[in-house]
Amino acid sequence: MKNLLIIIILTTTINVSFGQSFYEIKELGTIYSAQQIDSAFQSADFCGMHYTSERRELIFDDGTIVELYSSADLPNLAISCFVSSKNANDSNIWRISADGYLIRNIQTPTIK
């Protein structure tokens, strides 16, 4: 019984450490469910999208708000996956395609 308990604790600890989340859903919008967001985020590569000193806020077309964790929140992630917030383009809107992929619409200035 004691060995079984130790195995269960070790398995749970390993699953939690490998399944560490790198984002937090702050607010759900009107189109996407938490499950759709989780699925899209798990299949995406966000290396190079995390800010070094603060959490990055991603705003979706339906009002959903998701925060990417900062380097302080993700000490085991490679330093190359973090960028300075002053060098990033934040004027963008995110959405999830019908296939479940994240799409980033970058707003560009209009030329007059």
Side-chain angles (χ1 to χ4, degrees), residues 12-84:
T12 303
T13 304
I14 290 169
N15 287 340
V16 169
S17 64
F18 284 120
Q20 179 183 15
S21 183
F22 58 91
Y23 65 95
E24 178 181 350
I25 300 172
K26 298 300 279 184
E27 186 174 323
L28 277 177
T30 57
I31 299 173
Y32 311 116
S33 68
Q35 182 179 1
Q36 287 173 301
I37 294 167
D38 287 335
S39 178
F41 271 70
Q42 292 305 320
S43 64
D45 181 6
F46 278 96
C47 188
M49 296 292 294
H50 297 274
Y51 288 159
T52 306
S53 59
E54 61 193 68
R55 290 183 173 192
R56 182 176 194 163
E57 190 173 82
L58 307 179
I59 300 173
F60 285 73
D61 59 345
D62 73 335
T64 294
I65 299 172
V66 176
E67 283 184 350
L68 292 181
Y69 292 156
S70 70
S71 61
D73 299 315
L74 299 168
N76 296 329
L77 197 59
I79 193 70
S80 61
C81 288
F82 300 99
V83 296
S84 171

